[in-house]
Amino acid sequence: MVRRVAVIGAGVGGLASIKCCLDEGLEPTCFERSEDIGGLWRYADSMDGGRVSVYRSVITNTSKEMSCFSDFPCPEDFPSFLPHSLLLEYFRMYAQHFDLLRHIHFKTTALSVRKCPDFATSGQWEVVTETGSVQESHIFDAVMVCTGHYQEPYLPLASFPGINTCFKGQYLHSREYKDVEAFRGKRVLVVGIGNTGGDLSVELSRVAAKVFLSARSSTWVFSRVSDHGFPFDMVNTTRFNHFLDWLLPSALTKRIRFRKFNSWFNHANYGLASTKSSNFKVIINEELPFCLLSGTIVLKPNVKEFTKSSAVFEDGTTEENIDVVLFATGYIFSFPFLEESVRSLFDDNRSLYKRIFPPQLEKPTLAIIGLVQLTGSVMVGAEMQARWVTAIFAGWNKLPPASRMMADVLKKKPPVKRNPSERENLKISFISYTDEIASCAGVKPSVLRLLLTDPRLALAVFFGPCTPYQYRLVGRGKWSGARNAILTQWQRTLKPLRTRVVDDSSNGSNSWRWMCLLALPVALTAGFLLSKYPRLGWSPRAGPQL
């Protein structure tokens, strides 16, 4: 039986893991190498001990209602999208509310995690830690690794001839970027157009002499602010939309999505993306289109090579007098503390069962938390993983045989290995993944059952945003406040905006209710079909099970 659990890292995944261990009656001990919680989201002016942190101006891409812990809503007076300082404050509130800090050993580094000699029967691990200059050995029944995505910078210098031989300017990875001061008045080339590359280009354009943004793949850009001013993820990440995505042909859904993106601005005119693109990524950035329109950012293709002071691009154009090259090329996963025999079992997260468990281990007592790319909040995904993992450790859930886990991994693993800068293309649907793990844990809500017992809640669950509270309605860890949290989520979204009240006689809520009632037959029909034909239940080849 698992009793003592080592949790490595006190970021969002680590905090969720500690809390889930306590919920299941386990004894967690968390090792955090820095002096505080928060992980990536705890901003620091310098990289103390090589720790990665966000840059000064960062704001979350997912809204508070879609990103919070499932049984602890963000305060209603917090804005929908949080700067790092407010998000860290929320983490502190969570840790204090559930008394998590007493389980964390700060300034303690996990040096090694090795299988005990009798691992095949005991499943135990030897964890060696260092605090100051003092090393200590511990024996744990299970280990939850919560070190996250952003560990080692991916800096593919070999793909850019001349960068470290001819080029006389400065080059750095985005991990080293904190604010704009060092770039004032300079000509800057940003390589990589993910969310970070877009954010940094916009921020630098305010102080730099010129900013060039090099993009290799087609990129669709959308705003956090959706129609009528609501958060984009709350409007679009719904079970109804997810059902339509499954129901309609993929070619049609892609066309609808592209048309939606182009309704803001024509991406082809800006050189960003074409509707004919097969390989593309999606980023969030409200200001990038205007910066391109005003010329403060110039979009360029992939870099072919660097000369002494210039960048030569694949289309044959050259930009002279480049002072700084900023690589926003992503990160690679690294677990240096895991023994080699364990590390070799997975080359990336797609070699893990459900993106969590190394399937070849004799005992399922090692879990990798938060190492998943989702179209929504990774924080919610990490908490769901932790709930399932700790239920397995406590004996409430079981994993299938190793052969079935390996078959599942091979079925879902893409045939072509991609570099970290292309991981955006491999993101998993937020609802698909969280529902999949919730089903394994026995906490996925049934829309059909809710239609019979609580129609008002069923409408909010199916047509409203798929907020984390939905996974606290049933099963282990059921939270009595989940229903109210779902029914009041829009109130908490609008509350921080009510700093100046204006008279508006229109009543959008009534029209929303009528729309849901008219669409109710769709949900009932879908539920009937899926209950009559259970093989239509969600799987990577099927669709959402109501």
Side-chain angles (χ1 to χ4, degrees), residues 402-445:
S403 58
R404 282 179 55 192
M405 290 193 288
M406 281 299 302
D408 183 79
V409 167
L410 294 174
K411 181 175 65 175
K412 295 179 180 178
K413 193 171 184 180
V416 180
K417 187 175 181 179
R418 301 175 183 267
N419 65 53
S421 64
E422 294 177 306
R423 287 185 300 169
E424 193 78 20
N425 303 322
L426 299 175
K427 281 189 172 182
I428 308 170
S429 162
F430 171 77
I431 295 181
S432 297
Y433 184 76
T434 48
D435 271 3
E436 182 179 9
I437 303 303
S439 295
C440 294
V443 298
K444 179 179 177 292

Side-chain angles (χ1 to χ4, degrees), residues 319-360:
E319 294 297 342
E320 306 282 350
N321 302 318
I322 300 296
D323 298 305
V324 184
V325 179
L326 181 59
F327 286 96
T329 45
Y331 293 79
I332 56 177
F333 312 134
S334 174
F335 305 101
F337 47 84
L338 287 179
E339 65 175 277
E340 177 58 31
S341 64
V342 176
R343 265 202 326 268
S344 62
L345 297 179
F346 55 99
D347 53 358
D348 58 28
N349 70 332
R350 297 183 300 278
S351 299
L352 299 170
Y353 180 64
K354 306 296 185 187
R355 304 298 203 273
I356 303 171
F357 291 100
Q360 305 96 323

Side-chain angles (χ1 to χ4, degrees), residues 162-418:
I163 185 64
N164 53 5
T165 56
C166 301
F167 185 62
K168 300 302 181 183
Q170 177 189 7
Y171 70 85
L172 68 158
H173 189 269
S174 59
R175 181 177 84 155
E176 302 174 60
Y177 178 90
K178 295 300 175 184
D179 56 38
V180 300
E181 290 307 314
F183 302 86
R184 192 174 295 275
K186 296 183 177 181
R187 290 169 61 85
V188 182
L189 169 62
V190 178
V191 177
I193 194 175
N195 284 316
T196 299
D199 283 351
L200 300 190
S201 297
V202 167
E203 184 163 294
L204 290 170
S205 70
R206 301 187 182 105
V207 300
K210 198 72 172 180
V211 174
F212 303 95
L213 177 57
S214 171
R216 177 168 54 183
S217 60
S218 291
T219 304
W220 296 94
V221 183
F222 69 92
S223 169
R224 297 175 183 86
V225 184
S226 185
D227 298 337
H228 308 293
F230 293 111
F232 180 89
D233 56 354
M234 293 187 71
V235 172
N236 285 270
T237 309
T238 70
R239 294 187 180 278
F240 179 66
N241 287 343
H242 182 59
F243 176 73
L244 291 180
D245 284 342
W246 166 73
L247 185 66
L248 300 176
S250 58
L252 178 58
T253 58
K254 184 181 289 187
R255 183 178 300 178
I256 294 171
R257 190 173 292 116
F258 288 169
R259 180 172 294 182
K260 176 68 174 177
F261 290 149
N262 274 334
S263 67
W264 185 23
F265 68 95
N266 189 308
H267 284 64
N269 289 344
Y270 285 67
L272 283 164
S274 165
T275 55
K276 299 179 181 179
S277 304
S278 58
N279 182 29
F280 63 89
K281 65 174 66 173
V282 178
I283 68 170
I284 301 171
N285 201 301
E286 294 80 22
E287 299 178 73
L288 181 59
F290 177 73
C291 289
L292 293 171
L293 199 61
S294 62
T296 55
I297 296 176
V298 176
L299 193 65
K300 303 293 292 186
N302 195 39
V303 177
K304 179 182 179 182
E305 62 178 341
F306 287 93
T307 63
K308 185 176 181 180
S309 61
S310 307
V312 181
F313 299 91
E314 289 183 345
D315 63 354
T317 60
T318 301
E319 294 297 342
E320 306 282 350
N321 302 318
I322 300 296
D323 298 305
V324 184
V325 179
L326 181 59
F327 286 96
T329 45
Y331 293 79
I332 56 177
F333 312 134
S334 174
F335 305 101
F337 47 84
L338 287 179
E339 65 175 277
E340 177 58 31
S341 64
V342 176
R343 265 202 326 268
S344 62
L345 297 179
F346 55 99
D347 53 358
D348 58 28
N349 70 332
R350 297 183 300 278
S351 299
L352 299 170
Y353 180 64
K354 306 296 185 187
R355 304 298 203 273
I356 303 171
F357 291 100
Q360 305 96 323
L361 281 179
E362 302 96 316
K363 296 288 184 179
T365 55
L366 174 68
I368 313 297
I369 302 297
L371 196 66
V372 61
Q373 291 280 334
L374 300 177
T375 56
S377 171
V378 175
M379 293 186 280
V380 176
E383 186 198 22
M384 182 57 65
Q385 289 177 332
R387 291 179 65 188
W388 181 43
V389 166
T390 52
I392 290 172
F393 289 167
W396 296 104
N397 296 127
K398 289 186 178 181
L399 291 176
S403 58
R404 282 179 55 192
M405 290 193 288
M406 281 299 302
D408 183 79
V409 167
L410 294 174
K411 181 175 65 175
K412 295 179 180 178
K413 193 171 184 180
V416 180
K417 187 175 181 179
R418 301 175 183 267

